[in-house]
Amino acid sequence: MQPSSPHPSPAAASRPATSSASGSPVTARLGGALGLLSALVLATVALLGHALDGDDGDFGDPFVTAIALAAALHLGSAVWLLCRRGWWPLVLSAAPSALILGWLVAIAVLGFLAGHGTDGLGVLLSSGPWLAISPAAAGLALTPSSRHWVAAGRAGRAGGPPHQPPAA
């Protein structure tokens, strides 16, 4: 087949349609939306940590400051994904939530093994799903459709070949 042929290639016709009418894949839009929600969750955790710190309004606790910084980075990385600039910042910014979630799991398991019953399990079940939003957003940003969508946006800005949506 000639390169200037108006007919689509068989390889392009065999690709599944993962894009919506707006051209962005569902995984990228859902990953960005979950990233925004996760930034809100992290900001709430930071505000609660500051409110319960007991130091009369001083911002001296580095843990609370780190969580607030992680919330700001997560917000920026979710917007970065939705603007087709990059998927990797959202994946990297999921690390604090994943670490806090792992810490809660470790505390619950160690508390259970130490004979404290299921006290830690209640905390894990109440806050764990909220903290799991960030790794879920990172997983959606790692999907091939999201990465290809971002790469096509970069190529369009760099003067590369124009982005063609997959054939339906």
Side-chain angles (χ1 to χ4, degrees), residues 6 20 24 26 33 39 42-43 52 57 69 71 74 91 94 98 103 127 130 149 160-161 167:
S20 67
S24 63
V26 174
L42 285 173
L52 299 175
L69 180 62
H74 212 71
V91 173
W103 178 71
S127 60
W130 291 105
W149 178 67

Side-chain angles (χ1 to χ4, degrees), residues 13 15-16 31 35 40 43-44 47 49 53 81 87 94 120 122 134 140 149 160 164-165:
R15 279 187 269 161
L40 181 64
T44 303
L47 286 175
D53 198 18
L81 173 67
W87 54 268
S134 181
L140 287 169
W149 178 67
Q164 296 176 354

Side-chain angles (χ1 to χ4, degrees), residues 13 23 45 64 71 73 77 84-85 87 96 100 105 114 122 127 131-132 135 142 159 161:
V45 168
V64 173
L73 289 174
S77 64
R84 293 177 81 171
R85 297 287 185 179
W87 54 268
I100 293 171
V105 169
S127 60
L131 292 171
L142 276 172

Side-chain angles (χ1 to χ4, degrees), residues 38-127:
S38 181
L40 181 64
V41 168
L42 285 173
T44 303
V45 168
L47 286 175
L48 285 174
H50 176 66
L52 299 175
D53 198 18
D55 58 0
D56 297 329
D58 292 335
F59 287 98
D61 189 6
F63 183 74
V64 173
T65 306
I67 296 296
L69 180 62
L73 289 174
H74 212 71
L75 176 67
S77 64
V79 170
W80 196 258
L81 173 67
L82 291 173
C83 291
R84 293 177 81 171
R85 297 287 185 179
W87 54 268
W88 59 269
L90 187 61
V91 173
L92 291 177
S93 67
S97 291
L99 288 173
I100 293 171
L101 185 60
W103 178 71
L104 286 176
V105 169
I107 293 296
V109 168
L110 290 175
F112 182 75
L113 292 176
H116 296 291
T118 58
D119 295 339
L121 186 62
V123 173
L124 177 63
L125 290 176
S126 65
S127 60

